[in-house]
Amino acid sequence: MTSPKPVDVVLGLLRTIEAGGGAEAIAPFLAEDYVLTEAPHLLAPEGSTRTRAQVLDGAEHSGEIVSGQHFEVRRSTCEGGRVVVEADWSATVLMDLPHWDKGDEIRARTASVFEVRDGRINSQHSYDCYYTPR
């Protein structure tokens, strides 16, 4: 059995998130040593680094914060196990957040660099630019 193409693994993760997948649904996409590094952005001015366990915990609770997540993939490229995705992300906010009120649409332009090994994502570096409400 052959491993799926790295780009298919990454796009599968995005579609699973869009479908409302929690920790159990996204866990198969993430290697045990997975690390997510986020560059500083509006909601995390210092940026962040999270382990697989922390990301899965966040995924389990994301349905309390946003609904209807959608990724409009603008462009992707793959070289070996490295996949780069540029996308527009949107969701509906389910609670008041800095800059957004419950019920608002939250939107961001994102660029993420994924490293895929043996059919699973072992790292992700994300660069998110959030649009603020007018």
Side-chain angles (χ1 to χ4, degrees), residues 5-15 83 85 114 116 121:
K5 293 179 188 176
V7 69
D8 292 334
V9 173
V10 170
L11 295 177
L13 172 65
L14 299 183
R15 299 306 166 232
V83 178
V85 173
F114 299 84
V116 179
I121 301 165

Side-chain angles (χ1 to χ4, degrees), residues 56-79:
L56 292 176
D57 184 59
E60 198 58 32
H61 299 287
S62 67
E64 300 165 12
I65 301 167
V66 295
S67 68
Q69 293 188 74
H70 177 70
F71 294 90
E72 170 102 20
V73 175
R74 297 281 182 179
R75 156 175 51 196
S76 65
T77 188
C78 182
E79 181 179 316

Side-chain angles (χ1 to χ4, degrees), residues 90-102:
S90 62
T92 300
V93 178
L94 300 177
M95 62 172 48
D96 290 340
L97 295 175
H99 309 287
W100 295 274
D101 295 326
K102 181 179 178 178

